Amino acid sequence: MSSRDVEYYRQRAVDERAMALKAEHRNVAAIHEELARQYQALVDQAELRPTLRIKVPSQVLKSA
């Protein structure tokens, strides 16, 4: 997942929480809260995933 995706999901979680606070009906607020939790879970999962970085010696690149 790209950093742009993570930022998108993070903002969606914020937006869903805001909509939950503004909702006039409890069931609608609960749906927004659930969506916020799911977006946040995507963010948390991406942040916990290790990033693989491979260092290639410059000599290998020059001979290719």
Side-chain angles (χ1 to χ4, degrees), residues 1-43:
M1 183 181 308
S2 74
S3 61
R4 291 172 107 179
D5 292 335
V6 173
E7 286 306 314
Y8 171 80
Y9 292 136
R10 182 177 284 119
Q11 186 58 51
R12 290 297 301 140
V14 169
D15 293 345
E16 290 296 339
R17 287 186 193 102
M19 286 188 274
L21 291 173
K22 294 177 184 177
E24 295 181 20
H25 302 283
R26 289 156 100 200
N27 58 341
V28 173
I31 291 168
H32 285 299
E33 282 293 337
E34 179 58 28
L35 287 169
R37 279 192 290 278
Q38 291 185 22
Y39 281 122
Q40 188 61 51
L42 289 169
V43 171

